[in-house]
Amino acid sequence: MPKSPSMPALPLNGLFPIAKPSGPSSMKVIDSITSLLLESKLFDDPEKRKHARFQKNKKKNTAHLGLKIGQGGTLDPLADGVLVIGVNRGTKHLNRFLECTKEYESIGLLGCITTSMDSDDPVLSTSSWEHVTREDIEKVLDRFRGEIDQVPPIFSALKMDGKPLYEYARESKPLPRPIPTRKCQVSIELIDFKPASVTPGDDGHQYKWPTKKLSEDEKKVFRKLTDIVSQAGTEPSKPKGTNPTISEESAFNGDVPESKQAETKKESFVPDLEKPDYPEISPINGLRPPTFTVKMTVSSGTYVRSIVHDIGVALGCGAHVVKLTRTRQGEFSLYGDEKVLAASASASEDIKSKTEAPLEQINPGTDAKAEEEEIPGPTNGSIPWPVWERAIKEREETIKAEKQEKEEAIMSGMSAEEIHTNYSPEAIKQRRYEGGLREWEVEVLRRFVSVPVPPNGGHGEGHGKKQY
């Protein structure tokens, strides 16, 4: 049961974590919740909106509507987990989440290597996997602990000569030079080894290899790209700011791959792409390949997909990621009591019953303080995505009901003046503000970390000045 939240100074300026689901991109997730934030009194800044009317909004963002919003490191569509959201002055603190330590849980499916190292792209090669045991994986993991040299994958947003590496791969163009290696700190442990399901309800996994495969010509091109990647280490990465041809931009897919190539170059996790294809259903035992789940803590710039890929290569059968979850980013954690909230169908009503009072009556005037340099993190996990789904559905239903009510008022002969008084955007907004906090607003406040605002509230003196 959520506690009544303390009320920071409004409008809110700071950070909060949400649990991104697998499927949509990070930007799509942000876009889907932005309308909720814009219509919430928690984020409404009338003064900023007044100044913004005089500004030309050249960028496609919400700044001209009185709200700045951003995220502290994207998760790609396949990945789920912690996505740190910054609002207003909180957006200034997002860069530190690109450099912080992160934790992940990843499930790898044995026997199959894919072009992007996950299940979203075509199969590159397949191999027999029946020989692999849990003990084999435990032994292999020792090679991926501590400081390792990793080669960013060809499917990454790292730039070479101003062009993302993934564009070279998708266009089947050779790289200008080998990809520089980078040093990463990795702590990793095996937490599960699971056979595939044989009969319904036997607790086996349901993952399968991708069905799409590369043509022979595409394989030839990708082999050339792989050869260039395998040469990494001949051109070590330089400190940031010293290499004009390599951009430090990273997809920060919430995952970050790795291949362990010791400084002596004794080990090289390069797959054998000349092997003949091997069937997914084993001709030896009639089973599908098992999965392994690893939990890891990695330094900034680590490519988690590559670690899973390289584990598979080291085992002699290959592997690719079928599930990737970011469980922690900096001080923000995925897990907390949100599982109870997400599992309870009555959660929304329970929360609503605790927040019937108008916003101004809920701990008014209290201010959640935070230091500029060190911001204390929340302790009760990220906001579950079902909370946002309920809020989005409720908003859609509310808009539909308001539209119908307005149409009925017009049909009843209500005057234009009365229509404007009762159904103008400002009138509708005011009615929404008069109610208690909604479920998602409660959950934001339970996890919100405020950042300091200048004495003048951050507003410029002139209409054309930058607000934040």
Side-chain angles (χ1 to χ4, degrees):
M1 184 74 65
K3 298 178 182 179
S4 295
S6 297
M7 181 58 61
L10 300 180
L12 294 181
N13 289 269
L15 307 160
F16 63 92
I18 68 175
K20 175 195 172 297
S22 179
S25 66
S26 294
M27 286 310 302
K28 189 172 181 62
V29 166
I30 291 177
D31 288 344
S32 65
I33 70 172
T34 296
S35 294
L36 295 170
L37 272 58
L38 285 170
E39 295 172 0
S40 169
K41 190 170 183 179
L42 296 181
F43 302 95
D44 185 49
D45 190 342
E47 186 66 20
K48 187 175 180 182
R49 281 192 285 108
K50 182 178 70 176
H51 290 312
R53 285 201 302 267
F54 299 94
Q55 299 178 15
K56 292 182 178 180
N57 184 44
K58 296 180 179 180
K59 296 182 179 180
K60 292 183 178 180
N61 56 35
T62 58
H64 68 297
L65 299 175
L67 176 73
K68 286 191 71 176
I69 183 170
Q71 45 82 16
T74 65
L75 287 165
D76 68 10
L78 174 71
D80 58 30
V82 181
L83 185 65
V84 179
I85 303 297
V87 290
N88 297 327
R89 289 193 65 82
T91 57
K92 289 182 172 290
H93 294 262
L94 290 173
N95 280 342
R96 67 188 179 88
F97 291 99
L98 303 183
E99 302 297 327
C100 68
T101 297
K102 303 175 183 70
E103 294 179 4
Y104 297 91
E105 288 184 9
S106 184
I107 300 177
L109 179 58
L110 292 173
C112 175
I113 293 175
T114 68
T115 56
S116 63
M117 304 180 186
D118 65 35
S119 59
D120 282 349
D121 288 288
V123 172
L124 190 56
S125 67
T126 58
S127 302
S128 59
W129 46 266
E130 295 88 350
H131 62 285
V132 178
T133 65
R134 183 182 183 119
E135 290 70 27
D136 292 331
I137 298 176
E138 292 277 14
K139 293 176 183 177
V140 164
L141 291 188
D142 286 338
R143 311 183 197 179
F144 299 90
R145 293 189 173 106
E147 184 180 88
I148 65 174
D149 288 340
Q150 185 182 58
V151 184
I154 190 65
F155 275 91
S156 70
L158 195 71
K159 290 184 178 180
M160 182 174 287
D161 292 351
K163 185 174 183 176
L165 296 183
Y166 65 79
E167 288 190 10
Y168 287 99
R170 288 173 180 169
E171 296 172 6
S172 299
K173 291 183 178 179
L175 300 177
R177 67 190 67 83
I179 304 173
T181 59
R182 56 174 63 185
K183 291 189 179 297
C184 305
Q185 285 288 339
V186 179
S187 172
I188 186 171
E189 61 178 307
L190 180 67
I191 60 176
D192 193 23
F193 182 78
K194 182 175 290 187
S197 175
V198 177
T199 60
D202 65 1
D203 200 32
H205 76 79
Q206 301 289 331
Y207 298 108
K208 296 183 179 182
W209 293 349
T211 56
K212 186 177 180 181
K213 296 184 178 181
L214 295 180
S215 67
E216 286 304 315
D217 288 341
E218 289 172 329
K219 279 189 176 183
K220 290 178 182 178
V221 171
F222 208 88
R223 285 191 182 100
K224 292 179 181 179
L225 291 172
T226 302
D227 288 341
I228 293 176
V229 172
S230 68
Q231 295 171 22
T234 60
E235 184 181 326
S237 59
K238 300 178 182 180
K240 291 183 179 180
T242 64
N243 190 340
T245 62
I246 301 293
S247 167
E248 289 296 336
E249 289 182 32
S250 173
F252 286 97
N253 289 337
D255 43 46
V256 192
E258 299 199 320
S259 63
K260 175 172 180 174
Q261 294 178 329
E263 291 181 3
T264 58
K265 297 285 288 182
K266 290 182 180 179
E267 282 189 297
S268 180
F269 297 118
V270 181
D272 181 1
L273 303 182
E274 303 299 330
K275 287 184 178 180
D277 287 341
Y278 194 81
E280 181 176 5
I281 297 178
S282 170
I284 298 174
N285 58 26
L287 301 176
R288 290 188 295 110
T291 61
F292 63 94
T293 304
V294 287
K295 179 180 180 180
M296 60 188 93
T297 301
V298 299
S299 59
S300 173
T302 305
Y303 287 88
V304 173
R305 273 182 178 77
S306 287
I307 295 180
V308 172
H309 166 88
D310 294 341
I311 290 171
V313 175
L315 290 168
C317 65
H320 66 277
V321 172
V322 290
K323 183 173 175 57
L324 179 62
T325 302
R326 183 159 64 195
T327 56
R328 181 176 292 278
Q329 186 175 12
E331 66 267 34
F332 290 101
S333 173
L334 174 63
Y335 300 118
D337 57 8
E338 78 283 359
K339 288 187 177 180
V340 176
L341 290 173
S344 174
S346 60
S348 181
E349 291 303 316
D350 291 340
I351 293 172
K352 185 178 179 181
S353 67
K354 292 293 182 179
T355 58
E356 290 298 329
L359 184 64
E360 292 82 355
Q361 296 178 20
I362 300 178
N363 297 329
T366 58
D367 187 5
K369 296 184 181 298
E371 297 295 329
E372 182 74 36
E373 294 300 324
E374 187 172 349
I375 303 172
T379 58
N380 45 12
S382 301
I383 302 174
W385 188 245
V387 170
W388 297 105
E389 288 180 320
R390 290 192 288 269
I392 292 168
K393 182 179 180 180
E394 181 182 358
R395 177 179 179 270
E396 292 172 348
E397 292 174 347
T398 299
I399 291 174
K400 183 178 179 180
E402 290 169 344
K403 182 179 180 181
Q404 183 176 347
E405 184 180 339
K406 182 178 179 180
E407 290 174 350
E408 290 175 353
I410 294 173
M411 294 295 292
S412 69
M414 184 180 289
S415 68
E417 184 177 353
E418 288 179 306
I419 294 293
H420 177 76
T421 299
N422 293 301
Y423 300 105
S424 68
E426 288 301 322
I428 292 174
K429 179 181 290 188
Q430 186 58 40
R431 283 202 296 274
R432 291 176 182 172
Y433 283 177
E434 290 171 356
L437 289 176
R438 288 162 288 185
E439 176 191 15
W440 72 267
E441 292 171 317
V442 173
E443 295 308 312
V444 166
L445 288 173
R446 292 180 66 216
R447 297 158 170 83
F448 199 78
V449 177
S450 295
V451 299
V453 179
N456 67 353
H459 299 298
E461 297 177 0
H463 297 320
K465 292 191 176 181
K466 187 176 180 180
Q467 304 298 309
Y468 293 95

